[in-house]
Amino acid sequence: MTFVRSAPEPVLPPPPRGRDPAASSTFGSAANIVTTLVIAFFAERSLPHFLAWAFTNGVWRGDAADCRDAGACWIFLHEKAPFILFGIYPEAERWRPLLVVSVLIGLTLWTMPHRHWTRATLLTWVVGIAGSLLAMAGGVAGLTPVPPSAWGGLPVTLLLTVLSLALGFPLGLGLALARRSRLPLGRWLATGTVEILRGVPVLTLLFIAAVMAPLLLPDGMRVETFVRALVVFTLVSAAYLSEVLRGGLQGVPRAQMESAQALGLRRREVLLIVVLPQAIRKVLPPLASTIIVVIKNTSLVMVVGLFDLVSAGRVVLNDPAWPMPYAETYLMIALVYFAVCHGVARYALHQERVLGEGGR
Amino acid sequence: MTILDIAGVHKWYGDYHALRNVSLRVDAGERVVICGPSGSGKSTLIRCVNGLAAHDAGEIVVAGETVSDDPAALRRIRTRVGMVFQDFNLFPHLTVLQNCVLAPMRVSGLSAGKARDMALALLDSVRIAEQADKFPGQLSGGQQQRAAIARALCMQPEIMLFDEPTSALDAEMVKEVLDIMKALARAGMTMLCVTHEMAFAREVADRIVFMDEGQILEVADAQTFFTDPGHPRTRVFLDKISL
Ligand SMILES: Nc1ncnc2c1ncn2[C@@H]1O[C@H](COP(=O)(O)OP(=O)(O)OP(=O)(O)O)[C@@H](O)[C@H]1O
Ligand SMILES: [Mg+2]
């Protein structure tokens, strides 16, 4: 039997699209209704308490005495914020850590758009970090020397994060490549290093670095606690980043490498221009998680006597003149961490979208 | 003038003898088509020419340069030998134009402006200039393969290697790629081309090489190859593919 169309099929609008997803996920199924009710119940119970504590009874002006038997003691934060942010760094010199924090944040923001991913930006980072360390340490250009044991607060957190990621990334890439190499020795060494660093708690590694380093180093040689902690964080970041990167490298087809080689590109160019960007694009979500873990891990330096954001917060709480406003202080610190980590997460999401434009 | 001299080449994958004493000379400007059944070593042979696969014995000389495992020599050879793959292998994270200017800038040291002008001219010659700023994933298979040809041509190679450039394409896109390859042949490019497109071979090839089980069984001009093949297995092969 043959068929020849005589009249064209009409072009129709699509059928109606079901319910609005927000409404249906709130009330859609029985399970969703229960979840919504439970959340509403607790919100209804606790939100008024929180609002009363934070606002109605919150102390926004006055002095320490006003905070007795009151709600949130915000004036405490107002008074202590500089200490929480900059720690025991000499008060007269606080412009130096402030400058360092501004430079690090400014550089980070500047680096975000793709068009700024240039050699010049990389160089600016190197200069910026070296300059930051000099500005913190002093002893040059007429700046009063301040030893790393007296650094504190946000600059310590940021410097540890930036340095351990910046140094850990190439190291991690090296470990990932070594694990994929044809040489068994390189493979074993890299695997062993990664497994040891991942298998031991960071806290333990920090203690080992603090206790063991003096035993291992030659007599009379002393390494600042800051540097020891930095070494630990760098190694740990490298171990975690290497596993993430290894996953990404495995996902890039061999043919990509071969077609790059066939064009005459050098091994380094094949890796950095062709393979690595594709590998990173494949592992952006775990990469962002790893970076966030590294950021939060820096708060562990407290145990070896370094003065990061969290340790500074604990110190100000010891001021006997104030009624120990724990919640307010930790809320502020949590907000700082959240702002940074959330920024990383959002940026990673944005990159997924931008880099996803290429399709495939 | 001989531009490619393959002499007594052997290659093994483990114990498997993939190339068995293969010898072939290609003159500048010559178009050679390689055909043969699957697994006969066609890809292996052309991958040995630019060192993507390393041969174990014999000698391959490309434009006076011997293929060895010396990275610098390999790079020199690869700048003079363009290669087009079955699966295009464009870099998915770079635009078509960026794909094209990458090697000219990095390897040949061209300025960004010069590389761009040349790339746009070549993209125009393969008729996808208007796709220059798109990513490979946004193009059809035929467009991707033409972009890949343009990318290889941007290195101004003296020889072009093709490994089944139309095998991954839908029927309607095969022609647009073959048309580009024919134009390239007319322009005098030296071509070494693995393909099952016999009509293309008949029209373009100066010589046709028939391979089976890692050996060259027959080399003949297109006319002789199709009308009066010498080796019995060539006849079997031709019968099979022409049904
Ligand atoms: N990397 C490799 N490792 C081991 N064996 C290989 C490898 N590459 C190819 N071979 C084997 O060598 C033989 C020749 O392969 P080659 O890819 O050169 O064949 P071909 O003629 O290109 O086939 P096709 O038409 O299917 O592409 C095949 O038997 C194949 O299985
Ligand atoms: Mg093949």
Short mmCIF file of all heavy atoms in Angstrom, two decimals, chain B residues 17-51:
data_model
loop_
_atom_site.label_atom_id
_atom_site.label_comp_id
_atom_site.label_asym_id
_atom_site.label_seq_id
_atom_site.Cartn_x
_atom_site.Cartn_y
_atom_site.Cartn_z
N HIS B 17 52.54 -8.64 14.69
CA HIS B 17 53.34 -8.00 13.64
C HIS B 17 52.42 -7.14 12.78
O HIS B 17 51.81 -7.63 11.84
CB HIS B 17 54.02 -9.10 12.81
CG HIS B 17 55.22 -8.60 12.07
ND1 HIS B 17 56.08 -9.43 11.40
CD2 HIS B 17 55.72 -7.36 11.92
CE1 HIS B 17 57.05 -8.71 10.85
NE2 HIS B 17 56.86 -7.46 11.15
N ALA B 18 52.32 -5.84 13.12
CA ALA B 18 51.30 -4.99 12.51
C ALA B 18 51.74 -4.43 11.16
O ALA B 18 50.91 -4.20 10.28
CB ALA B 18 50.95 -3.84 13.45
N LEU B 19 53.04 -4.18 10.98
CA LEU B 19 53.57 -3.76 9.68
C LEU B 19 54.71 -4.70 9.31
O LEU B 19 55.64 -4.88 10.09
CB LEU B 19 54.07 -2.31 9.73
CG LEU B 19 53.02 -1.22 9.88
CD1 LEU B 19 53.69 0.15 9.90
CD2 LEU B 19 51.97 -1.29 8.78
N ARG B 20 54.61 -5.29 8.14
CA ARG B 20 55.58 -6.30 7.75
C ARG B 20 56.34 -5.83 6.53
O ARG B 20 55.87 -5.93 5.41
CB ARG B 20 54.86 -7.62 7.47
CG ARG B 20 54.29 -8.23 8.74
CD ARG B 20 53.05 -9.08 8.46
NE ARG B 20 53.33 -10.29 7.69
CZ ARG B 20 52.39 -11.15 7.33
NH1 ARG B 20 51.13 -10.96 7.69
NH2 ARG B 20 52.70 -12.20 6.63
N ASN B 21 57.55 -5.28 6.77
CA ASN B 21 58.45 -4.89 5.68
C ASN B 21 57.76 -4.00 4.66
O ASN B 21 57.72 -4.32 3.48
CB ASN B 21 59.03 -6.14 5.02
CG ASN B 21 60.20 -5.78 4.12
OD1 ASN B 21 60.85 -4.76 4.32
ND2 ASN B 21 60.44 -6.61 3.11
N VAL B 22 57.21 -2.89 5.13
CA VAL B 22 56.48 -1.99 4.24
C VAL B 22 57.42 -0.96 3.62
O VAL B 22 58.20 -0.33 4.33
CB VAL B 22 55.36 -1.26 5.02
CG1 VAL B 22 54.73 -0.18 4.17
CG2 VAL B 22 54.32 -2.26 5.49
N SER B 23 57.37 -0.84 2.31
CA SER B 23 58.16 0.18 1.61
C SER B 23 57.27 0.94 0.65
O SER B 23 56.44 0.34 -0.04
CB SER B 23 59.31 -0.47 0.82
OG SER B 23 60.18 -1.14 1.71
N LEU B 24 57.44 2.25 0.64
CA LEU B 24 56.60 3.08 -0.25
C LEU B 24 57.30 4.42 -0.43
O LEU B 24 57.79 5.01 0.53
CB LEU B 24 55.22 3.29 0.41
CG LEU B 24 54.21 4.13 -0.36
CD1 LEU B 24 53.75 3.41 -1.62
CD2 LEU B 24 53.00 4.44 0.53
N ARG B 25 57.38 4.86 -1.68
CA ARG B 25 57.94 6.18 -1.96
C ARG B 25 56.84 7.07 -2.50
O ARG B 25 56.07 6.64 -3.35
CB ARG B 25 59.00 6.08 -3.05
CG ARG B 25 60.40 5.88 -2.58
CD ARG B 25 61.23 5.57 -3.82
NE ARG B 25 62.56 5.15 -3.42
CZ ARG B 25 63.64 5.92 -3.61
NH1 ARG B 25 63.53 7.08 -4.22
NH2 ARG B 25 64.81 5.49 -3.19
N VAL B 26 56.80 8.29 -2.03
CA VAL B 26 55.80 9.23 -2.52
C VAL B 26 56.52 10.46 -3.04
O VAL B 26 57.40 11.01 -2.35
CB VAL B 26 54.80 9.62 -1.41
CG1 VAL B 26 53.79 10.63 -1.94
CG2 VAL B 26 54.09 8.39 -0.87
N ASP B 27 56.21 10.86 -4.28
CA ASP B 27 56.83 12.05 -4.85
C ASP B 27 56.06 13.29 -4.44
O ASP B 27 54.86 13.21 -4.14
CB ASP B 27 56.84 11.96 -6.38
CG ASP B 27 57.90 10.99 -6.86
OD1 ASP B 27 58.83 10.71 -6.08
OD2 ASP B 27 57.77 10.51 -8.01
N ALA B 28 56.74 14.42 -4.45
CA ALA B 28 56.06 15.68 -4.15
C ALA B 28 54.93 15.89 -5.15
O ALA B 28 55.11 15.68 -6.34
CB ALA B 28 57.05 16.83 -4.20
N GLY B 29 53.77 16.27 -4.67
CA GLY B 29 52.62 16.52 -5.54
C GLY B 29 51.82 15.28 -5.88
O GLY B 29 50.80 15.37 -6.55
N GLU B 30 52.28 14.14 -5.42
CA GLU B 30 51.58 12.90 -5.74
C GLU B 30 50.41 12.67 -4.79
O GLU B 30 50.46 13.05 -3.63
CB GLU B 30 52.55 11.72 -5.62
CG GLU B 30 52.20 10.57 -6.52
CD GLU B 30 53.17 9.40 -6.36
OE1 GLU B 30 54.12 9.50 -5.55
OE2 GLU B 30 52.95 8.40 -7.02
N ARG B 31 49.33 12.05 -5.28
CA ARG B 31 48.19 11.68 -4.44
C ARG B 31 48.13 10.17 -4.35
O ARG B 31 47.92 9.49 -5.36
CB ARG B 31 46.88 12.19 -5.03
CG ARG B 31 46.55 13.61 -4.65
CD ARG B 31 47.26 14.64 -5.49
NE ARG B 31 47.07 14.44 -6.92
CZ ARG B 31 47.40 15.32 -7.83
NH1 ARG B 31 47.95 16.46 -7.48
NH2 ARG B 31 47.19 15.06 -9.09
N VAL B 32 48.34 9.64 -3.14
CA VAL B 32 48.34 8.20 -2.95
C VAL B 32 47.19 7.82 -2.03
O VAL B 32 47.04 8.40 -0.96
CB VAL B 32 49.68 7.72 -2.34
CG1 VAL B 32 49.63 6.23 -2.05
CG2 VAL B 32 50.83 8.07 -3.26
N VAL B 33 46.37 6.88 -2.46
CA VAL B 33 45.28 6.39 -1.62
C VAL B 33 45.65 5.02 -1.10
O VAL B 33 46.16 4.17 -1.85
CB VAL B 33 43.96 6.34 -2.40
CG1 VAL B 33 42.95 5.45 -1.69
CG2 VAL B 33 43.39 7.75 -2.57
N ILE B 34 45.47 4.81 0.21
CA ILE B 34 45.71 3.49 0.80
C ILE B 34 44.37 2.87 1.13
O ILE B 34 43.53 3.51 1.77
CB ILE B 34 46.54 3.62 2.09
CG1 ILE B 34 47.86 4.34 1.80
CG2 ILE B 34 46.81 2.25 2.69
CD1 ILE B 34 48.70 4.59 3.04
N CYS B 35 44.16 1.64 0.70
CA CYS B 35 42.94 0.97 1.11
C CYS B 35 43.25 -0.47 1.51
O CYS B 35 44.38 -0.94 1.33
CB CYS B 35 41.88 1.02 0.02
SG CYS B 35 42.39 0.26 -1.52
N GLY B 36 42.27 -1.12 2.05
CA GLY B 36 42.48 -2.48 2.53
C GLY B 36 41.49 -2.78 3.62
O GLY B 36 40.87 -1.86 4.17
N PRO B 37 41.34 -4.06 3.95
CA PRO B 37 40.35 -4.42 4.96
C PRO B 37 40.69 -3.88 6.34
O PRO B 37 41.82 -3.47 6.59
CB PRO B 37 40.35 -5.95 4.95
CG PRO B 37 41.57 -6.35 4.22
CD PRO B 37 42.02 -5.22 3.37
N SER B 38 39.71 -3.90 7.22
CA SER B 38 39.90 -3.42 8.58
C SER B 38 41.01 -4.21 9.27
O SER B 38 41.09 -5.43 9.12
CB SER B 38 38.59 -3.55 9.35
OG SER B 38 38.78 -3.08 10.65
N GLY B 39 41.86 -3.51 10.00
CA GLY B 39 42.92 -4.18 10.73
C GLY B 39 44.14 -4.50 9.89
O GLY B 39 45.05 -5.20 10.34
N SER B 40 44.19 -3.97 8.65
CA SER B 40 45.31 -4.33 7.78
C SER B 40 46.55 -3.47 8.04
O SER B 40 47.60 -3.72 7.47
CB SER B 40 44.88 -4.21 6.32
OG SER B 40 44.38 -2.92 6.07
N GLY B 41 46.43 -2.46 8.88
CA GLY B 41 47.60 -1.67 9.24
C GLY B 41 47.68 -0.32 8.54
O GLY B 41 48.72 0.35 8.60
N LYS B 42 46.58 0.12 7.93
CA LYS B 42 46.59 1.40 7.21
C LYS B 42 46.85 2.57 8.16
O LYS B 42 47.72 3.41 7.92
CB LYS B 42 45.25 1.61 6.49
CG LYS B 42 44.82 0.44 5.61
CD LYS B 42 43.47 0.66 4.98
CE LYS B 42 42.32 0.79 5.95
NZ LYS B 42 41.90 -0.44 6.63
N SER B 43 46.08 2.60 9.25
CA SER B 43 46.27 3.70 10.22
C SER B 43 47.67 3.64 10.81
O SER B 43 48.34 4.66 10.95
CB SER B 43 45.25 3.60 11.35
OG SER B 43 43.95 3.69 10.84
N THR B 44 48.08 2.44 11.17
CA THR B 44 49.40 2.28 11.77
C THR B 44 50.47 2.85 10.85
O THR B 44 51.36 3.59 11.29
CB THR B 44 49.68 0.79 12.04
OG1 THR B 44 48.61 0.26 12.84
CG2 THR B 44 50.99 0.62 12.77
N LEU B 45 50.35 2.56 9.55
CA LEU B 45 51.36 3.04 8.61
C LEU B 45 51.40 4.56 8.57
O LEU B 45 52.47 5.16 8.71
CB LEU B 45 51.08 2.47 7.21
CG LEU B 45 52.04 2.95 6.13
CD1 LEU B 45 53.47 2.52 6.47
CD2 LEU B 45 51.63 2.43 4.75
N ILE B 46 50.25 5.21 8.41
CA ILE B 46 50.34 6.67 8.28
C ILE B 46 50.67 7.33 9.62
O ILE B 46 51.26 8.40 9.65
CB ILE B 46 49.12 7.32 7.59
CG1 ILE B 46 47.88 7.25 8.42
CG2 ILE B 46 48.89 6.79 6.21
CD1 ILE B 46 46.81 8.19 7.86
N ARG B 47 50.34 6.67 10.72
CA ARG B 47 50.74 7.24 12.01
C ARG B 47 52.23 7.12 12.25
O ARG B 47 52.80 7.86 13.07
CB ARG B 47 49.96 6.56 13.14
CG ARG B 47 48.49 7.00 13.19
CD ARG B 47 47.64 6.00 13.93
NE ARG B 47 48.11 5.82 15.30
CZ ARG B 47 47.76 6.64 16.30
NH1 ARG B 47 46.94 7.62 16.09
NH2 ARG B 47 48.22 6.43 17.51
N CYS B 48 52.88 6.17 11.56
CA CYS B 48 54.34 6.07 11.67
C CYS B 48 55.01 7.22 10.93
O CYS B 48 56.12 7.63 11.28
CB CYS B 48 54.83 4.73 11.09
SG CYS B 48 54.57 3.35 12.20
N VAL B 49 54.33 7.76 9.90
CA VAL B 49 54.95 8.81 9.10
C VAL B 49 55.22 10.06 9.94
O VAL B 49 56.27 10.69 9.83
CB VAL B 49 54.05 9.16 7.89
CG1 VAL B 49 54.55 10.41 7.18
CG2 VAL B 49 53.98 7.99 6.93
N ASN B 50 54.28 10.42 10.84
CA ASN B 50 54.56 11.59 11.68
C ASN B 50 54.88 11.20 13.13
O ASN B 50 54.82 12.03 14.03
CB ASN B 50 53.41 12.60 11.62
CG ASN B 50 52.13 12.06 12.23
OD1 ASN B 50 52.06 10.89 12.60
ND2 ASN B 50 51.13 12.91 12.35
N GLY B 51 55.21 9.95 13.33
CA GLY B 51 55.74 9.53 14.63
C GLY B 51 54.70 9.40 15.72
O GLY B 51 55.06 9.28 16.89
#
